[in-house]
Amino acid sequence: MAWTTFQIIVACVMLITGSLNTLIAKWTDMQVAKGRDDVAREFNHPFVQSCAMFLGEFLCLLVFGAAWLIGRRRTAGTEGDVPLVRLEGQIQEPFTYKKMLVFLPPALCDMTATSIMYVGLTMTNASSFQMLRGAVIVFTALLSVAFLHRQIASSKWLGILTVIIGLAIVGVSDMIFLPNDAKSNDKNRIITGDLLIIMAQIVSAAQMVYEEKFLTKYDVPALVAVGLEGFFGFTVLAFLLIPMAYMPAGSFSVTPYHTIEDAIDAFAQMRNNYYIVLGLCGTILSIAFFNYAGISVTKELNATTRMVIDSMRTLIIWAASLGLKWQPFNWMQIIGFGFLLIGMAVYNQIITTDKIRHVQRTVVTKIWRNNGDREVLVREDEAS
């Protein structure tokens, strides 16, 4: 079935904004500006960047609110006084505070995972960051077996094993392909960043398992789910920035007073370098459009197509990082990405044994027919 114009647009928007989200975040980390102590340094404020990301998710709730108002005005006078909202093919009921609070645990998981990943992004390459996020499949499957009592098919275990091999190749390549003038501290920093990104996927997997176990029972539009998680995540993390400014982190932190986070220093750097403000605004808008486009792709097409598009942005981020000379060429990453892509395809049943057998039969049949046609032509030539 051919894609409609709208489906092509939302797929392209998802691919572009998803790629831009990681690239903009890394570009923002590389900006240099004077902080509150008048010392110029790179913008290393992952928790502030996480707040920007949650603000972008919260925008999805505002979009839903606007759609709700438009739908209410259109249905006024035609369906009585009950403000029914038709969005995403469903009739939604008004939310209660009790229902809203079920989004708090996944928001806390999202807040933790995103913050850890942004810390890791400051230490490693953007391409490695995106590839290592594929580890979420492994941990989601393991937690699904433990808490959802799900039976994982042998083919999916094969996909998980392939993903693990790809992750190992990507991690090893980061340690091997370092510049000749790189110090041992640089290697330790990259290893730490990669490990933090993988650890964050454990929290992300816990979020997915929770959402599947507790949130699927509620008839909640996807835009509302994303928006509420963004609201809770932004609210909680914004309050946590206050104690973080007084909690020491030692040499691990590069803030003026070596604390976990320093929002005042972040705002000082924003004031001294407007490119940082531009980068944070880009993060907010890209994550908002990415979530909306991803929801639309799942609705208009299917979740498998969304996974394929999400995998493609890894290749775009890797190519862009090379083009911008943010990292040297690393041929092992191509192999690692290939294993990750195949593992995801096998896990999501895009590649199955039945499909492989079908392709084999098709190829053999075509070869047989071509050979048979050649034999007929040879016999006709000999007869003539």
Side-chain angles (χ1 to χ4, degrees), residues 115 124 223 308 314:
S115 300
T124 190
L223 280 176
V308 173
T314 304

Side-chain angles (χ1 to χ4, degrees), residues 212-350:
E212 182 174 349
K213 185 175 180 63
F214 295 102
L215 298 187
T216 52
K217 66 179 70 174
Y218 298 104
D219 188 18
V220 182
L223 280 176
V224 174
V226 173
L228 286 176
E229 290 185 8
F231 169 76
F232 284 121
F234 176 80
T235 304
V236 173
L237 188 56
F239 278 107
L240 288 178
L241 289 178
I242 299 175
M244 285 182 182
Y246 299 95
M247 298 172 64
S251 59
F252 182 77
S253 173
V254 296
T255 59
Y257 299 102
H258 298 286
T259 54
I260 294 179
E261 183 57 285
D262 193 335
I264 298 177
D265 182 66
F267 283 109
Q269 288 188 297
M270 293 180 207
R271 185 181 64 250
N272 295 324
N273 187 345
Y274 291 107
Y275 284 128
I276 297 176
V277 179
L278 181 63
L280 293 177
C281 290
T283 298
I284 294 172
L285 293 177
S286 63
I287 200 67
F289 278 101
F290 174 71
N291 280 290
Y292 173 76
I295 292 168
S296 300
V297 168
T298 303
K299 174 190 170 185
E300 294 289 331
L301 299 166
N302 50 57
T304 301
T305 304
R306 182 175 181 176
M307 189 282 300
V308 173
I309 296 174
D310 196 58
S311 301
M312 289 174 61
R313 68 187 179 118
T314 304
L315 185 60
I316 294 178
I317 293 170
W318 178 73
S321 299
L322 291 178
L324 296 171
K325 297 182 179 181
W326 288 356
Q327 66 180 81
F329 176 76
N330 185 344
W331 59 268
M332 284 187 67
Q333 278 197 341
I334 301 178
I335 300 176
F337 174 70
F339 274 95
L340 289 172
L341 193 61
I342 294 173
M344 292 177 185
V346 172
Y347 183 83
N348 289 277
Q349 296 183 333
I350 299 175

Side-chain angles (χ1 to χ4, degrees), residues 54-81:
F54 284 118
L55 189 58
E57 290 186 353
F58 177 64
L59 289 180
C60 293
L61 189 61
L62 299 181
V63 171
F64 176 84
W68 187 87
L69 290 176
I70 295 173
R72 185 176 183 178
R73 291 176 181 177
R74 289 180 177 176
T75 56
T78 59
E79 301 189 22
D81 297 330

Side-chain angles (χ1 to χ4, degrees), residues 65-213:
W68 187 87
L69 290 176
I70 295 173
R72 185 176 183 178
R73 291 176 181 177
R74 289 180 177 176
T75 56
T78 59
E79 301 189 22
D81 297 330
V82 181
L84 298 178
V85 181
R86 285 185 173 86
L87 187 66
E88 301 181 6
Q90 300 173 344
I91 298 178
Q92 304 300 331
E93 298 178 358
F95 287 102
T96 63
Y97 289 104
K98 185 178 180 180
K99 288 184 179 180
M100 290 177 60
L101 289 177
V102 299
F103 290 93
L104 181 58
L108 295 178
C109 291
D110 195 8
M111 177 193 71
T112 305
T114 303
S115 300
I116 295 175
M117 282 191 289
Y118 275 136
V119 172
L121 182 59
T122 62
M123 300 180 179
T124 190
N125 301 318
S127 59
S128 298
F129 168 83
Q130 192 63 39
M131 291 182 189
L132 292 173
R133 292 181 67 177
V136 69
I137 290 180
V138 179
F139 299 117
T140 301
L142 296 176
L143 293 179
S144 296
V145 173
F147 296 100
L148 300 181
H149 307 291
R150 178 173 297 165
Q151 298 293 328
I152 305 296
S154 57
S155 60
K156 290 197 171 187
W157 284 117
L158 177 61
I160 292 172
L161 178 61
T162 307
V163 169
I164 293 175
I165 295 174
L167 294 172
I169 293 174
V170 172
V172 171
S173 67
D174 282 342
M175 292 183 287
I176 295 177
F177 289 89
L178 283 175
N180 295 327
D181 57 347
K183 301 178 182 179
S184 59
N185 291 335
D186 296 331
K187 180 181 292 187
N188 293 335
R189 183 178 179 83
I190 292 176
I191 295 173
T192 303
D194 290 349
L195 291 176
L196 285 174
I197 295 170
I198 294 177
M199 289 172 57
Q201 305 317 305
I202 302 176
V203 186
S204 295
Q207 175 190 349
M208 293 183 182
V209 171
Y210 174 90
E211 290 176 344
E212 182 174 349
K213 185 175 180 63

